[in-house]
Amino acid sequence: MNQIRILSAEDVRKALPMGEAIAGMKEAFGQLAAGEAELPLRARVAVPEQEGVALFMPAYMCGSGDLAVKIVAVFPRNVARGNPMIYASVLVLDEVSGRPLALLEGGALTAIRTGAGGGAGTDLLARPGAQILAILGSGVQARSGLEAVCTVREIREVRVFSPHRAHAEAFVAEMRELEVVPDNIFVVADPSTAVSNADIIYTATSSSTPTFHGRDLKPGAHVTGVGSFMPTMQEVDEETVQKSLVVVDERGAAWAEAGELIIARDKGLITAEHVYAELGEIVNGTKTGRTSAEQITFFKSVGIAVQDAVAGRIALRNAEKYDLGMVVPF
């Protein structure tokens, strides 16, 4: 009798520790850049009556054999109803037979793999001695992003800005409980205070307008943007895009969905050649990362299905190892 393992959000969090997730994201980006992945552009179905969208993202990793599909529903009106804005699930399949192996709660997996992807980009592009981190946002993506950056760098100071001060204060109180996060984490009153003299800026919002001014960036700063995923969304302004070494998760996905790049291009400020590399090219050594301590770098991630496939494999492996979740006939 066939069986399937079902993992709740809490199971996924136990099965997908950040350090393993970051290593997995480097592997995923590397396989993608090497042409070892089947990755269609995500399909989307709009639900205009609710201002919502459902996204369908399959991926097959030819190198490692990971096969999965994720379904994500993004419904902003849910927040006013007291429900999560995003619901997601990930189905992991056997690459030999196509048999379903596991169904994972996708919200936790997405948060961890997004943070881990941002952590991978930060690790490969930020200066080795970076110590001051600015976090713009206070939701689940900001949480995983903060953990990821503190995993790859010895962060001594964290400045948090959110338009909702109470959310930011709650975020700081919660994140202080993580061992990897420094005690010196605090809320600031405005984005300029957060960004000025920061070594790393991590944006994790659903904003349609820039969250900070590029003029506030110091030489050598690194920016990771993970929040925007539609052409109309723009967390990072045109000035930052123009003066940065720009690296993306995947060129096709970035030019279809990264508002920061699309808006700058449509205004005639950059061309397609302004994107220097995919992160996997840096992982594989076919492109170098930053070239000087003064260079500003920008890693833009819209999130791609190879991340889900690899994260799903890691989570399932650990779930089987530690007997997490529930196994049912299928």
Side-chain angles (χ1 to χ4, degrees):
M1 178 184 297
N2 290 336
Q3 296 179 320
I4 189 169
R5 187 177 295 268
I6 300 174
L7 301 183
S8 68
E10 184 59 30
D11 294 328
V12 171
R13 283 188 281 268
K14 292 177 181 177
L16 195 55
M18 185 56 72
E20 289 186 46
I22 291 171
M25 293 309 97
K26 291 180 180 179
E27 177 189 348
F29 291 134
Q31 286 189 61
L32 178 63
E36 298 176 347
E38 292 288 336
L39 180 68
L41 276 178
R42 71 182 71 181
R44 51 176 75 231
V45 177
V47 186
E49 296 84 358
Q50 300 298 329
E51 300 177 2
V53 61
L55 309 171
F56 301 85
M57 295 161 282
Y60 172 56
M61 312 301 293
C62 310
S64 57
D66 303 321
L67 177 62
V69 60
K70 183 169 76 172
I71 302 173
V72 178
V74 183
F75 282 59
R77 290 186 182 180
N78 283 354
V79 176
R81 302 181 182 117
N83 296 322
M85 182 173 71
I86 299 174
Y87 287 101
S89 57
V90 175
L91 184 65
V92 178
L93 307 173
D94 180 75
E95 77 276 13
V96 175
S97 66
R99 179 173 66 89
L101 298 176
L103 180 64
L104 288 68
E105 196 283 321
L109 183 140
T110 300
I112 296 168
R113 69 82 154 148
T114 300
T122 300
D123 192 27
L124 292 166
L125 293 169
R127 291 182 302 169
Q131 294 186 336
I132 301 175
L133 168 63
I135 294 282
L136 302 179
S138 57
V140 293
Q141 302 293 359
R143 287 166 168 77
S144 64
L146 172 56
E147 181 182 359
V149 174
C150 290
T151 298
V152 301
R153 289 293 183 274
E154 293 187 15
I155 300 299
R156 304 298 186 192
E157 178 180 313
V158 181
R159 307 165 185 167
V160 179
F161 174 77
S162 170
H164 309 285
R165 178 88 186 195
H167 293 176
E169 295 286 2
F171 171 84
V172 166
E174 177 184 346
M175 297 309 294
R176 276 203 181 103
E177 298 301 313
L178 289 182
E179 184 177 350
V180 72
V181 175
D183 293 334
N184 191 22
I185 175 174
F186 52 91
V187 177
V188 296
D190 55 74
S192 180
T193 302
V195 170
S196 295
N197 203 41
D199 299 306
I200 299 169
I201 296 86
Y202 195 100
T203 65
T205 76
S206 57
S207 180
S208 58
T209 57
T211 54
F212 66 93
H213 292 295
R215 63 174 179 263
D216 291 329
L217 293 172
K218 76 172 187 178
H222 169 72
V223 180
T224 288
V226 304
S228 65
F229 57 92
M230 292 192 294
T232 55
M233 300 172 71
Q234 185 187 18
E235 291 187 294
V236 176
D237 67 358
E238 296 95 325
E239 180 177 344
T240 299
V241 172
Q242 282 183 288
K243 67 185 182 181
S244 294
L245 181 80
V246 177
V247 177
V248 298
D249 42 17
E250 198 272 330
R251 285 183 176 86
W255 285 116
E257 299 173 336
E260 289 88 353
L261 303 181
I262 293 167
I263 290 168
R265 180 198 62 192
D266 290 350
K267 288 183 177 181
L269 300 174
I270 64 170
T271 64
E273 288 68 33
H274 191 70
V275 172
Y276 166 71
E278 294 179 354
L279 193 64
E281 294 177 284
I282 298 175
V283 171
N284 295 340
T286 57
K287 291 279 187 76
T288 58
R290 78 165 43 242
T291 58
S292 75
E294 302 299 300
Q295 188 175 52
I296 294 174
T297 54
F298 174 35
F299 173 55
K300 175 58 196 169
S301 175
V302 294
I304 49 178
V306 296
Q307 296 175 259
D308 303 309
V310 172
R313 179 246 299 167
I314 295 170
L316 177 56
R317 180 189 65 206
N318 285 331
E320 291 172 341
K321 180 178 179 180
Y322 299 112
D323 194 24
L324 299 172
M326 178 172 57
V327 178
V328 298
F330 189 77

